[in-house]
Amino acid sequence: MILYALPVSTYSAKVRMQLELKGIDYDMVPPPGGYSTPEYMQIVPLGTIPAIRDGDFCISESGVIASYLEEKFPEPSLMPGDAEDRARQRFMAQYHDLWLEPHLRRTFAHVDPSTRDEVASSDLLDKFQARIDMMEGLVDPAPYLCGDKISIADLAFPATFTLSELMFPIFGRDVSFGPKVQAWRETIYQNPVVKAVTDESRQATIDWMNSGGG
Ligand SMILES: N[C@@H](CCC(=O)N[C@@H](CS)C(=O)NCC(=O)O)C(=O)O
């Protein structure tokens, strides 16, 4: 199994966590030529990371990869429980991908103060914060987001929350987490795989920022 990924990529982090938690043997390699390059797009048409290669089979999109890995390597399961449980896990994973993270990503365009749109960047940070606040009504960690077992629902948020703690201060603000989400964060960081991948992602982001973000 090849995982095309970079330590700085938050979407790659969740797939790495899944591979590690399931004990799947894989090599993480940077996308040949870089992401969004013609060379890489010959392998992965959208040019995005993460993507996996399993023999001749290659697929991108972290949510699709997650489903593929669960079907191909069912044990240990990261989609435990019945159909309703799995639907809730998928919902939280999609909540992250479609409704939360995109607001943070769009702030990248405003990092440089000389070209920053203050109103637009402030609006994006407000929206990101509102999605975190909304989680207090969506989850009841016990202690994981969707029950007493770790699942795919838990894997997307750690690197994104860590990234937000680095991004908000660039705009002179701090991100905040409600009591349920904060309690969950403390639990999830006790998992050595989640901690190691998230810490590596944080350090890669700090290095990237210190290098000028290019
Ligand atoms: N929906 C995609 C998002 C992945 C994504 O946006 N990855 C970024 C790096 S974190 C990327 O490859 N960006 C390159 C591009 O957008 O062309 C997924 O879930 O895999």
Side-chain angles (χ1 to χ4, degrees):
M1 181 86 68
I2 300 282
L3 171 67
Y4 296 113
L6 292 170
V8 77
S9 158
T10 50
Y11 283 91
S12 299
K14 67 173 173 169
V15 175
R16 290 177 67 192
M17 288 176 195
Q18 189 183 12
L19 288 162
E20 303 257 351
L21 289 166
K22 293 180 87 63
I24 300 168
D25 197 20
Y26 72 101
D27 287 325
M28 178 166 133
V29 300
Y35 60 67
S36 300
T37 59
E39 183 181 348
Y40 182 52
M41 286 163 89
Q42 289 193 351
I43 310 168
V44 175
L46 280 178
T48 55
I49 50 171
I52 55 162
R53 177 188 284 288
D54 186 13
D56 290 337
F57 178 68
C58 199
I59 195 84
S60 65
E61 287 300 306
S62 57
V64 177
I65 296 169
S67 300
Y68 174 77
L69 294 177
E70 287 306 308
E71 284 187 30
K72 184 127 191 222
F73 305 94
E75 297 298 334
S77 177
L78 287 170
M79 295 185 73
D82 59 18
E84 288 182 13
D85 295 321
R86 286 191 287 279
R88 284 191 203 96
Q89 295 154 16
R90 286 193 193 94
F91 174 83
M92 288 312 298
Q94 284 213 19
Y95 181 78
H96 168 275
D97 292 1
L98 299 181
W99 298 98
L100 173 84
E101 191 275 349
H103 297 308
L104 187 65
R105 169 163 310 226
R106 288 187 194 115
T107 65
F108 293 170
H110 303 284
V111 164
D112 181 350
S114 68
T115 55
R116 179 176 304 162
D117 180 332
E118 294 287 352
V119 174
S121 56
S122 169
D123 182 53
L124 288 166
L125 296 173
D126 287 346
K127 285 179 170 151
F128 182 82
Q129 182 65 63
R131 292 296 181 202
I132 293 178
D133 297 344
M134 183 184 255
M135 286 178 72
E136 293 296 304
L138 292 177
V139 293
D140 217 351
Y144 297 103
L145 278 189
C146 291
D148 62 357
K149 295 190 178 67
I150 192 167
S151 76
I152 57 161
D154 296 289
L155 306 186
F157 297 96
T160 295
F161 285 170
T162 295
L163 176 63
S164 73
E165 289 176 316
L166 296 171
M167 293 294 290
F168 269 61
I170 290 174
F171 299 93
R173 291 175 54 163
D174 284 318
V175 64
S176 66
F177 302 97
K180 287 185 186 174
V181 171
Q182 187 53 35
W184 165 80
R185 289 189 86 200
E186 282 158 26
T187 298
I188 204 71
Y189 281 117
Q190 288 168 21
N191 182 293
V193 166
V194 172
K195 183 177 182 332
V197 174
T198 307
D199 285 351
E200 194 183 338
S201 173
R202 180 192 294 108
Q203 191 55 53
T205 305
I206 292 169
D207 294 345
W208 177 76
M209 286 172 165
N210 288 342
S211 73

